[in-house]
Structures are given as structure tokens and as C-alpha cells.
């Protein structure tokens, strides 16, 4: 049997999830357990995995999911802490002074603030922080989710202080470095990562400028009173200014220093400059665009957490104090993630890890949570505790008493649905990846077992042939969709992408272009991956709306890959001369 047949079988769990969530509009709490069961049946009956290994892989997924759930809980806790302390209303009042225009707020928070958080923490954190902030400002939760998921794409290739590049492409570093030495005998292994990052910025460049304009048009068309694309497109000058504010440091740092901090510094500097220019009125439209009152919203737009529907917001504290939790989040993320501060080694110390080795006695299947390195613990939960004292939440005031109990109690209560969904989703991912332990002869490729995702990738590459550069990014997107991580997508498919490049007789620079397309694809895949969608739905109280979100984020994902593929092809053809 061909890889194509196995690829078709491997797609069944994904197909089930898509049909149930997108087609039949089932909540992920019902759809994902069924998809997980389908993957387990395939792993046993087709990929020849023993039941004990499948069970161990599922437990491995549960442990990983626990880490994700801690992040979700921490994000919820910050949101409800700020809501009950009065800080959220204060932030709303302050943002109204910067600009009451929802289009500009989407750019400032969803695009720029999200980029900074992605550069510092990654792993779905930006949407978990930025989307509730937008919702608190009066955005429909569905709109906030879509905006933040789609905007969290350009910075993702370098997210979490360069982790997707530096860790994700480790499997091919030695091969690529050896090829590079034939060109430059003085090259060091890290140069491979730098070159991947450089080409990736070029592939991101078109969407860096087009995406903000397009998403504002989408927002005003589907969530605005007049259902007009034009109202969003009208602020194209402001969008281009925002893209320049982020893009200039992003590009300079990627091409000079490497892949660790382009998104982090691009987001931080860009945010500061953009807010300054907005206050100065540069390219700020004269007309103010806002959403209609909540009673006129489509029922699909909201979940169990209600958006504030008031015209005037009261400041219960200074803006600095209200924003301090977010400032502290950024501060703790930077000092614990950037190696130069000396704390990264501490928070990553294995002594603080929680998990299991050789689960159920199965050799090689282990899972650990780096508890201090989780954004959920540091900074989210830590900052939530600190905020109790900064905001004086132990004292009664006009917001009401028992504020701490209300914030923590509400956050804990909201965790029921996402727990079921995420346990199933991440266990499914673990089985998908673990099927590379197959003993089926037909599923051996270049001496290694072919997992379910790899079977799909091999089949697609066989069909496309020399047109591969045009489509390589979609494999990265497939990896992110399945695994919920650009880093894991790169780990999963970097060897495969390198093999395809060598099969096509590509040289070093051409092969790097393919790897860069993989990295960009993993970034754009963040828009549609079940992991991120379920997480943001959990934070916004939108569990059950996952299908509605994926139906809308799929098109930006598909479009994103077109200029990425064209640039990859141009680079490949340029170095073929």
C-alpha cells in the first residue's frame, strides 16, 4: 500500500474533528474525545502500536495538556482579577482617551501588544491575554478571538525568545551546517538558525502589511452596523504605520542579531511608538468607529462571559496602577526568558519539573511540565497574587467586597469545559506524533518510522514535485494545526522538509528557503490550530464556538500561504541560477 493510502487514513481523526466542530457545530468538549478515540483505533489497527503504548501516549498528552490548562487558568485569573479590582474599567477609560476607535484598538492591542507577548512567551499566550482585554473594551468575544488568533502569526516564527527556530530546527542543524561549511568554512552551527530567520522575515513581509488592513475590513464587514469592508479599509494609512513601527526593528534584529528577539523588541518598541503617534493624531481617522450595543449583536458572537456595554467608564485608580499587571507580565516574561538576565536557567531547572518518565513502563514515552517556565505560573498566577496587594483588593470599596474570592472562584469555575476539550485534543496530538514507532514495513521512510502527520506530508510532496516551494508552508501549518505549536511543527517536519529539498537536488540556500517556509507555515497555522482555538475560547467563555472561529480563520490562513509560497519559489529559483 502507498503512503497516500496511509495519509488518507491518518486524516480521519482530523476530518472527524472538523466535521463535528465546523460542520455540525459541536463543542470541542464532545468532538475532541471522539477524534482522540479515532486516532487511538488507527494507531492500534493500522500503525501497529500496542495498547499499552497508546495508553502511555495518551497520558503523555494529558500531562502536556495540564501545562496548557495552567496557562488558560492563569490568563482567566488575570482577567477576573482586573475586572473585580476595577482595573479593567480603568483601562477601558484610558484606552478611550488614547482612541475610542475600535479599529485602532484592535491594532494596538491585538496586533502590537500581542506581538510583544508572543515574542516573550509564545505558546498561545498572546490570544489568552490580548483577547480578554479587547473583550473588556467592548469587542464581541467572537471578534476578539478571531482578531487575536489571526494577528498572532507574523511574530510567531520568532515567538518565545526564538524557541521555534532555535529548538524547532535542531533535528537538521548538523546536516545544514555541514552543507553551509562547503560555502563558508568559517560558519558556525548557529548561522543556520540565523539564515532560516532571515528568509522567514522576507516571507512574512507581504502579510505584515496586508494582514492588519484585511482584518480590519473583515471586522467592520462581519461585526459592524453597516456590514462594510470599506470602513475597515479606510484606516489603511494607520495600519501601514503600525506595520512599519513593528516591522523595522523586527527586520533589523532578525538580520543582524538572529532569531531570539525580533518579535519581542519589534512588539515592545512598536507598541510604544504606535501609542505615541496615536496620541499625536498621526493617521488617526476623524470618524470614530464602534460596535453596536450588545442587544443588537448576533447570538453567535457572545459566550458565557458578558462584555461591558457602557459608554462611559470610570477610573478607579491611576492608569499606571491599572496597567501594572500587564507591565509586570512583560517584565517577568522578559527576565525569565531572555538568557542574558540569568534567570532562564533557573526556571528551566529540571528540579522544578513535574511529570513522569517511561509512562506505564513504556521506554521513551515521558512528559514533564516545567512548572516555573509556564506562562501560567510565571507570570500569570504570580502577577495575579501580586495584583491583590497593588490594587488593594483585600479592602472593601465601591466595586464590592470579597473581590479576591470572586476572581479566583470565577476563574476556577470557568475551567470545566476547557479541561475536557484540551485533555482530548493534546492526547490526540501525542498519539499522532507517537505513531512514528510503527513496525509496519510499508511505513518506513529513510530508515525511520512514518507517523500519521509525516504520511500526509510525504504524500503531498510526492504530488507537488518541483512546485514544492509554493506549498511547503502549508505543511508547517498542518503541523501547527495538529500539534498546537510552531516549535513542535518544526520539530515534527524539519527533517522531512530537508529530505524533500535534497530529493529536489537543492543547494544550501534553496534548502534553507524551504525550512523558512516551514517556519512561516507553523506561524500561520496558529490561526487554525485546535489547541489555540480551544484555549482562547476558554478564556473568553466561548467553549462551543470553536467551529465558528475556525471557519473564519481558515481563509486568512489559506491566503497567508500564497505570498509565502511565491517568495519561497523566487528564492529557490534565484539560487538556482
Amino acid at each position: 500500500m502507498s503512503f497516500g493510502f496511509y495519509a488518507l487514513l491518518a486524516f480521519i481523526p482530523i476530518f472527524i474533528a472538523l466535521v463535528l466542530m465546523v460542520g455540525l457545530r459541536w463543542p470541542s468538549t464532545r468532538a475532541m474525545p471522539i477524534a482522540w478515540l479515532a486516532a487511538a483505533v488507527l494507531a492500534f489497527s493500522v500503525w501497529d502500536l500496542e495498547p499499552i503504548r497508546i495508553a502511555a501516549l495518551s497520558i503523555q498528552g494529558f500531562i502536556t495538556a495540564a501545562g496548557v490548562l495552567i496557562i488558560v487558568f492563569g490568563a482567566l485569573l488575570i482577567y477576573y482579577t482586573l475586572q473585580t479590582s476595577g482595573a479593567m474599567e480603568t483601562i477601558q477609560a484610558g484606552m478611550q482617551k488614547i482612541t475610542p476607535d475600535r479599529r485602532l484598538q484592535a491594532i494596538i492591542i491585538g496586533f502590537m501588544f500581542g506581538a510583544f507577548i508572543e515574542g516573550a512567551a509564545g505558546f498561545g499566550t498572546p490570544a489568552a491575554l490580548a483577547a480578554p482585554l479587547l473583550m473588556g473594551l467592548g469587542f464581541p468575544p467572537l471578534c476578539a478571538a478571531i482578531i487575536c488568533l489571526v494577528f498572532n502569526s507574523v511574530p510567531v516564527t520568532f515567538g518565545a525568545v526564538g524557541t521555534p527556530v532555535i529548538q524547532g530546527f535542531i533535528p537538521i542543524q548538523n546536516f545544514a551546517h555541514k552543507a553551509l561549511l562547503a560555502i563558508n568554512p568559517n560558519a558556525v552551527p548557529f548561522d543556520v538558525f540565523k539564515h532560516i530567520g532571515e528568509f522567514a522575515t522576507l516571507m512574512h513581509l507581504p502579510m505584515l502589511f496586508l494582514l492588519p488592513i484585511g482584518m480590519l475590513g473583515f471586522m467592520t464587514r462581519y461585526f459592524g452596523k453597516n456590514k462594510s469592508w470599506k470602513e475597515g479599509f479606510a484606516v489603511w494609512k494607520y495600519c501601514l504605520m503600525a506595520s512599519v513601527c513593528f516591522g523595522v526593528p523586527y527586520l533589523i534584529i532578525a538580520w543582524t542579531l538572529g532569531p531570539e528577539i525580533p518579535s519581542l523588541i519589534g512588539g515592545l518598541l512598536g507598541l510604544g511608538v504606535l501609542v505615541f503617534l496615536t496620541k499625536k493624531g498621526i493617521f488617526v481617522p476623524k470618524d470614530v468607529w464602534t460596535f453596536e450595543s450588545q442587544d443588537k449583536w448576533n447570538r453567535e458572537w457572545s459566550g458565557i462571559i458578558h462584555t461591558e456595554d457602557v459608554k462611559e467608564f470610570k477610573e478607579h485608580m491611576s492608569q499606571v496602577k491599572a496597567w501594572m499587571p500587564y507591565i509586570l507580565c512583560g517584565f517577568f516574561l522578559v527576565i525569565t526568558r531572555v538568557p542574558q538576565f540569568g534567570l532562564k536557567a533557573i526556571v528551566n531547572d529540571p528540579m522544578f519539573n513535574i511529570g513522569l518518565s517511561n509512562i506505564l513502563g513504556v521506554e521513551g514515552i515521558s512528559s514533564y511540565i516545567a512548572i516555573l517556565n509556564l506562562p501560567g505560573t510565571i507570570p500569570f498566577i504570580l502577577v495575579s497574587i501580586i495584583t491583590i496587594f497593588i490594587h488593594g483588593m483585600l479592602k472593601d470599596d465601591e466595586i464590592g467586597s470579597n473581590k479576591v474570592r470572586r476572581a479566583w472562584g470565577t476563574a476556577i469555575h470557568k475551567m470545566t469545559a476547557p479541561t475536557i476539550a484540551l485533555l482530548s485534543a493534546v492526547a490526540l496530538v501525542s498519539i499522532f506524533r507517537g505513531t512514528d514507532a510503527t513496525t509496519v514495513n510499508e511505513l518506513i521512510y529513510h530508515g525511520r518510522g512514518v507517523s500519521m502527520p509525516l504520511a500526509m506530508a510525504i504524500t503531498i510532496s510526492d504530488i507537488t514535485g518541483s512546485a514544492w516551494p509554493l506549498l511547503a508552508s502549508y505543511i508547517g501549518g498542518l503541523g501547527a494545526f495538529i500539534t498546537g505549536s510552531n516549535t513542535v511543527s518544526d520539530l515534527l517536519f524539519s527533517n522531512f522538509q530537508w529530505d524533500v529539498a535534497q530529493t529536489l537536488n537543492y543547494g544550501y540556500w534553496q534548502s534553507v528557503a524551504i525550512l523558512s517556509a516551514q517556519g512561516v507555515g507553523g506561524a500561520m497555522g496558529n490561526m487554525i490550530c485546535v489547541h489555540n482555538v480551544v484555549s482562547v475560547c476558554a478564556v473568553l467563555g466561548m467553549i462551543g464556538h470553536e467551529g465558528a472561529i475556525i471557519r473564519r480563520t481558515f481563509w486568512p490562513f489559506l491566503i497567508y500561504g500564497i505570498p509565502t509560497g511565491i517568495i519561497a519559489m523566487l528564492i529557490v529559483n534565484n539560487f538556482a541560477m
Side-chain angles (χ1 to χ4, degrees), residues 16 71 90-91 106 196 226 244 266 288 340 431 454 466 551:
I16 289 173
I71 296 174
T90 303
I91 289 172
I196 292 172
N226 299 320
V244 170
V288 175
Q340 286 76 2
I431 291 175
L454 189 55
S466 60
R551 284 197 301 274

Side-chain angles (χ1 to χ4, degrees), residues 111-112 115 154-155 158 201-202 204-209 212 239-255 261-263 265-271 273-274:
F111 182 65
M112 204 68 77
V154 177
F158 303 108
T201 60
L202 299 180
H204 277 303
L205 203 56
M207 295 308 289
L208 168 62
F209 289 94
C239 290
L240 293 181
M241 179 175 71
S243 296
V244 170
C245 289
F246 172 79
V248 170
Y250 175 81
L251 287 164
I252 291 174
I253 291 171
W255 282 79
I261 55 173
S263 296
I265 300 302
L268 182 61
L269 292 180
L271 179 62
V273 173
L274 185 61

